[in-house]
Amino acid sequence: MTNSSSTSSFFRAVLHSYAMLFFSQHRGFAWVLLLVSFSHPAAGVAGLASAALAVAGARAAGFNREWTDRGAYSFNALLTGLALASFYPAGWALAGLVVVGAGVALLLSVALGGWLGGRGLPFLSLPFVGTVWLLLLGGDPLLHLPAGEGSLYWLNEVYALGGPRLVAVAQWVGDWPWPPLLATYLRALGSVLFQDSAAAGLLVAGGLLWHSRIAFSLSGLAFLGAYGLSVLTGPATGGINEYNLGANYIVAAIAVGSVFVIPSPASYGWALGSVLVTVLLLAAGTALLDRLGLPALSLPYCGTALLFLYVLLLRERPGPSLVLTPVQRYSPERNLYAYATDRERLPAPGAVSLTLPFLGAWTCTQGYADGGPTHLGDWAQALDFAIVDADGRTYQGAGLSPSDFYAYNKPVLAPADGVVEEVIQHIEDNAVGEVNLAQNWGNTVVLRHAPGLYSQLSHLRAHSVPVKIGDFVSRGEIIGTCGNSGRSPEPHLHFQVQTTPYVGSKTLVYPLAYFVAEPWKAKSDSMDVLSLSMDKPSLSMVMPSLKREDVSIERETLSRPSDSTVNGAKTPQLRHFAVPMAGETVRPPAFNRSLSQALRFPPGYALAVRAADAPDSPAQRWEVFTDAYNLPYLRCHATGAVAYFGGDASVFYFTAFYGAEDSWLYRFYQAAYRVPLASLPGQVVYDALPLTVVKNPVLAWVQDVLAPFYRFVRPTFQLEEEPSGPAGWPGRAVCLRSRVAVAWFGQEHEIQAAELLVEDGTLTALRVHRPGEALNLTFSLATA
């Protein structure tokens, strides 16, 4: 790294310290806060010096670089510097306290970060509170430094900086006839940086609005709640002064209502409830700390936020209303939009991918149903499969013997890696039309895929199971063949997911990772309409991270047949994380090996990307890395932009983008946002994009304000494959046409149209069309 880039990186980390005061990484907001801190010049200098010392110390000591660069280890030092300059007069003694305070705040930040972080909790501004207490208690006996009233004499510092003219301007701004309630709100925001000025608070309010409309609305809600409570009951012990309003009530409400919890109507109520708890903690804390001569500072906010977050962490069954932020993006809007989009398009984190337990095309003869014929009550969420010919028959010939049925003796496969928990294979097959009610499930294999997640495959042929209890089986391994044992009038396969290893356990709603659904077939009277009973056992019973509201089981697709057509004929549909419907013929997908190879990005893989009309110009290098959580991403070395991606054997998709949105990588991110890897030419794939793609500022801000309650803007992505050779052939060329659009109030506006070309299993070209922009790129493997 060059000296220039190292210096730039260092200053960005210092700048992020300011933004982190409001849980942000918005650099514009950070500049505003930096400027506001200098409205009290001594405090501004002390805060900046303290933050810089903390960043330098964190880097020199080798603490976590990512946290250091985000300002997470230095914002407490910044607060310490601001506070000390407000408590003590300027001088060498104060400078010494700032240096010591920056070091202590850094050490406490790292220590508390490790301790609380291991429990899933943030350390907030606890290091700042602890550091200031130590310095206030030790400042007098060690340095004989009396507490001052620096904030009352800040005009002297202004005079020293700019003379009488600057003082006149400062007094004119300070004496502006603000409405009393507005002035109190603005002073409350300014007091977070220890500034006693409505003008300073106005800048903070503007920066907060610039950073987040949701956080801004919560600041107003918390202020009105706390102010209204003080009017009704009188100020509590500790007072309803501006500092308490800002650093405790407002910051606590933003934290628990929009930062650590996904914004929603419930989170706004949660934030309003935090005001009541903060009142109690502030009163009790002030009463106790007054005896020691210490200020409460922001301790009540820390106590409220940690209490509210810890209680949410202890829930056994987290509900859909108060959702802890899964990935912190340091913006309430980004957190909300990413979470809402991921709920629509991606499987729940931690879900085990289960696949169809057979080869070829089988028809789902009975799906999830509450009315039978045999899947009832606690056993309703199960699937039956049989092989059906073009005439709708399950057998050939007379159909008098099990061997006449197409499904009989066909291999049954493990739907995922697992351990064999139970094997029953001694029960003889029934004669066609007869059932064995005494041994209802017939020959059965139960597999354990994860703690609390089991699959059961029943009605197998007698003595056909090649595995035994305790064996490990891989996905796709043969575990038996289809038979006609148990309650089975004709050969078919019964498949269910459950939470216990016992044969015949209650069934569990659980989707299959991927499969192809053939065109909808008219259901016979024996096939009941599929309905998902939301009162049945769900994924949340298997593992807490898998909540029903997070499981995208393609409800719209489940409620009606697919209407995708090509030249008037319905086409097969690739389903991902879905459940087959009764009457559908399903099969494992035939994967497009060319696409699979082209979009396989292992760590260390690198692409050289050039503009097609300037082939001799320097190429951009896009390289694959993994982060601390082992999540893969593409990084453009030229711009620093990063695009996170994921997927499995059936699909490739991008999950997040960070960086310059005018970069080539962002165009590729939108062009290949979701690419199915199965060979289904002519099928149009749809997906949901996060609202951050909306660039109309008025539209975006209006939607931001309403987003926790209602979303009227719908960004969409669609992609279609246009083959130019035999399906699945490794060397054939594939053209993927994609389109990104934003719809609101019935109007759709195209943002980008793109064509991505794959040849010989590698990416070769990308053509992008945007309003006023045409971009042609070429790809090649980058050298080391």
Side-chain angles (χ1 to χ4, degrees):
M1 181 179 291
T2 64
N3 290 335
S4 176
S5 61
S6 179
T7 302
S8 177
S9 173
F10 176 83
F11 187 73
R12 282 198 301 270
V14 174
L15 199 59
H16 286 158
S17 307
Y18 289 82
M20 282 293 288
L21 298 181
F22 288 90
F23 317 100
S24 171
Q25 294 288 280
H26 192 293
R27 292 180 189 171
F29 187 24
W31 276 108
V32 171
L33 296 178
L34 175 61
L35 174 64
V36 167
S37 72
F38 275 87
S39 61
H40 179 186
V45 172
L48 181 60
S50 189
L53 286 170
V55 172
R59 289 191 170 190
F63 295 137
N64 185 286
R65 183 59 180 266
E66 184 178 1
W67 280 42
T68 301
D69 289 348
R70 287 177 178 172
Y73 283 150
S74 50
F75 77 90
N76 276 285
L78 166 63
L79 284 173
T80 300
L82 293 173
L84 291 174
S86 300
F87 296 153
Y88 297 111
W92 287 110
L94 174 62
L97 278 181
V98 168
V99 173
V100 174
V104 174
L106 170 62
L107 294 176
L108 287 177
S109 295
V110 175
L112 287 175
W115 183 60
L116 289 173
R119 291 158 176 78
L121 296 169
F123 56 82
L124 305 176
S125 58
L126 286 175
F128 151 66
V129 175
T131 302
V132 171
W133 284 355
L134 288 173
L135 295 178
L136 286 177
L137 291 171
D140 184 35
L142 290 178
L143 301 175
H144 307 289
L145 183 65
E149 298 290 343
S151 62
L152 298 180
Y153 304 107
W154 64 278
L155 284 177
N156 293 334
E157 299 170 10
V158 173
Y159 183 86
L161 289 175
R165 290 187 178 181
L166 187 58
V167 171
V169 172
Q171 288 179 321
W172 177 78
V173 172
D175 294 337
W176 186 267
W178 305 96
L181 189 63
L182 177 60
T184 303
Y185 169 70
L186 295 178
R187 288 180 184 275
L189 286 178
S191 69
V192 176
L193 283 84
F194 294 89
Q195 306 300 319
D196 184 23
S197 164
L202 181 64
L203 289 175
V204 175
L208 183 61
L209 181 63
W210 186 14
H211 157 59
S212 168
R213 275 59 61 195
I214 293 175
F216 179 81
S217 66
L218 281 169
S219 73
L221 178 68
F223 168 76
L224 293 175
Y227 193 87
L229 190 63
S230 71
V231 171
L232 292 174
T233 64
T237 302
I240 194 72
N241 61 53
E242 286 85 354
Y243 179 82
N244 288 333
L245 283 170
N248 284 305
Y249 295 105
I250 288 178
V251 177
I254 292 174
V256 304
S258 66
V259 175
F260 299 107
V261 173
I262 297 296
S264 68
S267 78
Y268 272 66
W270 195 240
L272 197 57
S274 73
V275 173
L276 300 175
V277 176
T278 305
V279 167
L280 296 175
L281 293 179
L282 180 61
T286 302
L288 291 173
L289 292 170
D290 278 348
R291 300 177 182 178
L292 300 174
L294 295 175
L297 299 174
S298 58
L299 182 64
Y301 137 64
C302 295
T304 298
L306 290 173
L307 174 63
F308 275 50
L309 295 177
Y310 189 60
V311 167
L312 292 180
L313 282 171
L314 292 178
R315 292 176 297 174
E316 290 186 359
R317 294 188 181 181
S321 55
L322 287 172
V323 179
L324 289 169
T325 302
V327 178
Q328 186 58 254
R329 292 173 169 83
Y330 299 96
S331 162
E333 284 80 7
R334 285 186 176 271
N335 288 341
L336 172 58
Y337 297 153
Y339 171 76
T341 303
D342 288 350
R343 278 187 60 189
E344 292 185 42
R345 64 185 300 254
L346 300 179
V352 175
S353 295
L354 299 181
T355 55
L356 292 173
F358 46 75
L359 299 172
W362 293 52
T363 297
C364 182
T365 57
Q366 192 175 180
Y368 287 4
D370 290 326
T374 59
H375 297 172
L376 300 169
D378 289 331
W379 296 270
Q381 320 305 328
L383 302 168
D384 281 349
F385 295 100
I387 300 177
V388 179
D389 62 21
D391 296 324
R393 299 195 308 174
T394 58
Y395 58 88
Q396 59 186 347
L400 300 177
S401 170
S403 60
D404 290 342
F405 287 77
Y406 301 117
Y408 188 74
N409 209 31
K410 293 297 189 293
V412 175
L413 314 178
D417 295 351
V419 175
V420 179
E421 288 286 332
E422 184 63 84
V423 173
I424 299 174
Q425 62 169 332
H426 66 276
I427 303 170
E428 296 300 325
D429 290 324
N430 304 318
V432 173
E434 297 181 5
V435 294
N436 180 353
L437 298 180
Q439 297 164 308
N440 184 70
W441 303 102
N443 298 309
T444 295
V445 173
V446 177
L447 303 175
R448 172 169 53 86
H449 305 292
L453 181 65
Y454 301 82
S455 64
Q456 175 181 315
L457 302 103
S458 298
H459 309 313
L460 305 179
R461 187 173 66 84
H463 310 294
S464 69
V465 179
V467 297
K468 62 183 184 298
I469 294 175
D471 284 354
F472 176 83
V473 295
S474 301
R475 182 195 310 277
E477 185 176 335
I478 295 176
I479 59 169
T481 61
C482 182
N484 196 39
S485 57
R487 189 176 180 177
S488 176
E490 67 176 57
H492 73 285
L493 174 64
H494 174 96
F495 175 74
Q496 68 181 52
V497 183
Q498 56 200 45
T499 60
T500 61
Y502 310 111
V503 175
S505 298
K506 296 178 181 179
T507 55
L508 171 73
V509 173
Y510 206 97
L512 300 179
Y514 48 85
F515 59 91
V516 174
E518 300 290 351
W520 185 264
K521 295 182 179 180
K523 293 178 289 184
S524 67
D525 293 340
S526 65
M527 295 180 182
D528 285 71
V529 177
L530 173 67
S531 64
L532 292 180
S533 170
M534 302 313 283
D535 295 326
K536 304 303 175 190
S538 66
L539 289 173
S540 60
M541 298 179 64
V542 181
M543 48 188 77
S545 63
L546 290 177
K547 303 179 286 293
R548 178 182 303 280
E549 65 272 12
D550 290 338
V551 181
S552 174
I553 312 182
E554 300 188 10
R555 291 175 177 82
E556 183 177 344
T557 306
L558 287 171
S559 63
R560 61 174 174 82
S562 170
D563 56 3
S564 179
T565 60
V566 176
N567 298 326
K570 292 179 180 177
T571 62
Q573 295 291 301
L574 178 67
R575 301 277 186 81
H576 189 62
F577 216 63
V579 177
M581 296 180 65
E584 285 185 325
T585 298
V586 296
R587 58 177 171 83
F591 295 113
N592 185 315
R593 287 172 287 174
S594 183
L595 279 178
S596 298
Q597 181 177 333
L599 294 174
R600 190 177 72 88
F601 296 149
Y605 180 86
L607 286 169
V609 187
R610 292 181 171 83
D613 54 357
D616 296 328
S617 62
Q620 289 189 6
R621 182 183 178 88
W622 296 357
E623 191 169 356
V624 179
F625 297 92
T626 56
D627 65 10
Y629 301 99
N630 207 33
L631 299 175
Y633 61 89
L634 269 172
R635 182 179 185 274
C636 174
H637 288 267
T639 63
V642 166
Y644 278 80
F645 62 89
D648 51 34
S650 68
V651 64
F652 170 89
Y653 50 76
F654 282 107
T655 57
F657 179 88
Y658 304 98
E661 295 186 353
D662 59 351
S663 64
W664 292 354
L665 183 58
Y666 188 64
R667 303 294 183 259
F668 178 62
Y669 160 82
Q670 290 194 335
Y673 186 64
R674 186 183 190 89
V675 180
L677 303 180
S679 295
L680 294 173
Q683 176 181 245
V684 179
V685 175
Y686 297 91
D687 206 342
L689 283 154
L691 277 166
T692 47
V693 304
V694 178
K695 297 308 169 192
N696 183 317
V698 175
L699 183 68
W701 277 37
V702 171
Q703 179 60 94
D704 289 346
V705 173
L706 298 176
F709 311 96
Y710 173 70
R711 289 190 290 277
F712 64 89
V713 178
R714 299 289 177 184
T716 58
F717 168 86
Q718 64 185 64
L719 178 140
E720 181 178 0
E721 175 189 341
E722 294 189 357
S724 57
W729 186 253
R732 78 181 180 97
V734 179
C735 179
L736 301 174
R737 296 182 182 274
S738 63
R739 181 175 181 267
V740 175
V742 177
W744 67 88
F745 300 136
Q747 300 290 323
E748 187 176 76
H749 305 267
E750 184 174 278
I751 293 178
Q752 173 176 300
E755 299 171 356
L756 183 64
L757 188 64
V758 174
E759 292 183 286
D760 297 323
T762 60
L763 296 172
T764 56
L766 173 65
R767 293 188 287 270
V768 177
H769 310 278
R770 299 171 68 92
E773 176 188 354
L775 179 66
N776 295 317
L777 303 176
T778 61
F779 299 93
S780 60
L781 290 178
T783 57

